[in-house]
Amino acid sequence: MSIEIANESGIEVSEEELISVARFAIGQMDVHSAAELSMVLVDLDTMADLHMRWMDLPGPTDVMSFPMDELEPGGRPDAAEPGPSMLGDIVLCPEFAAQQAEKAGHAMDHELALLTVHGVLHLLGYDHAEPEEEKEMFALQASLLEGWYESVREAQHRAELAERDAQRDARLLGKTGFTAPGDPLDPA
């Protein structure tokens, strides 16, 4: 899966985290693994311009999605074999997201992760214009976000266990004389 990010916002964000959450959400939605996604982070003025141009609404917003290909989870059932596609573009405004995060009482990184999942769902055809659509989309959004956080916690736990095992192995090798002072595996 190819995910490109262009940060034109002037605000430092964790691009790795945004790629991770986007990749997780897309994978959970059964989109072909060779799908492509573009993410652009913009400033308030650029987002306000896009919001007016595409939605005819004044002022900036947090996220906008621009789908490229008609996709559905699992691909089209009448297709011989689902293949790679360009999902589209997600445009995020970190400055707007920071304001929302402050109001909501959580970190900007969390808000950007949530907005990334929200944008992915829009690219896949989900909407929240009607109450039932909103209920379905926001429940799925919450589930995907929690699943991603759980996968991050599991990866961190595995990394901690691997580090602990490596330190234990180095100590044992040192005690048995298999390493010398200055050796990269020397526990000293």
Side-chain angles (χ1 to χ4, degrees):
M1 178 174 311
S2 171
I3 300 175
E4 300 289 328
I5 294 187
N7 188 351
E8 302 169 1
S9 70
I11 296 177
E12 189 173 320
V13 301
S14 172
E15 293 180 15
E16 288 176 1
E17 197 169 277
L18 294 179
I19 290 170
S20 173
V21 71
R23 181 170 278 122
F24 180 86
I26 292 166
Q28 292 297 301
M29 295 304 295
D30 199 24
V31 174
H32 193 280
S33 62
E36 299 175 12
L37 170 67
S38 172
M39 298 177 70
V40 182
L41 286 65
V42 299
D43 60 27
L44 287 170
D45 291 338
T46 303
M47 185 59 100
D49 179 55
L50 290 170
H51 202 213
M52 179 56 85
R53 187 178 325 157
W54 293 100
M55 303 296 290
D56 203 24
L57 295 170
T61 189
D62 49 8
V63 60
M64 294 182 71
S65 297
F66 299 94
M68 295 293 182
D69 294 333
E70 294 292 324
L71 296 177
E72 296 174 5
R76 293 179 46 97
D78 58 346
E81 173 132 357
S85 280
M86 178 63 185
L87 292 177
D89 301 320
I90 296 174
V91 181
L92 297 167
C93 183
E95 189 173 348
F96 197 93
Q99 295 168 6
Q100 285 185 164
E102 187 175 328
K103 288 177 189 172
H106 56 244
M108 182 179 74
D109 287 346
H110 172 76
E111 187 71 16
L112 287 171
L114 182 147
L115 294 172
T116 298
V117 172
H118 189 87
V120 166
L121 291 176
H122 274 306
L123 291 179
L124 295 175
Y126 289 86
D127 203 354
H128 48 86
E130 300 296 325
E132 282 303 311
E133 292 175 334
E134 180 177 335
K135 184 178 177 182
E136 177 186 13
M137 182 176 178
F138 282 50
L140 182 54
Q141 176 179 291
S143 174
L144 289 168
L145 192 59
E146 180 53 38
W148 175 69
Y149 277 122
E150 182 61 30
S151 74
V152 169
R153 286 189 293 270
E154 288 173 5
Q156 288 171 338
H157 180 69
R158 285 192 304 274
E160 289 167 2
L161 290 176
E163 176 63 25
R164 185 194 70 199
D165 290 348
Q167 289 174 358
R168 183 196 66 223
D169 292 349
R171 281 192 308 276
L172 288 171
L173 289 171
K175 287 180 182 179
T176 58
F178 283 103
T179 60
D183 188 315
L185 293 177
D186 182 27

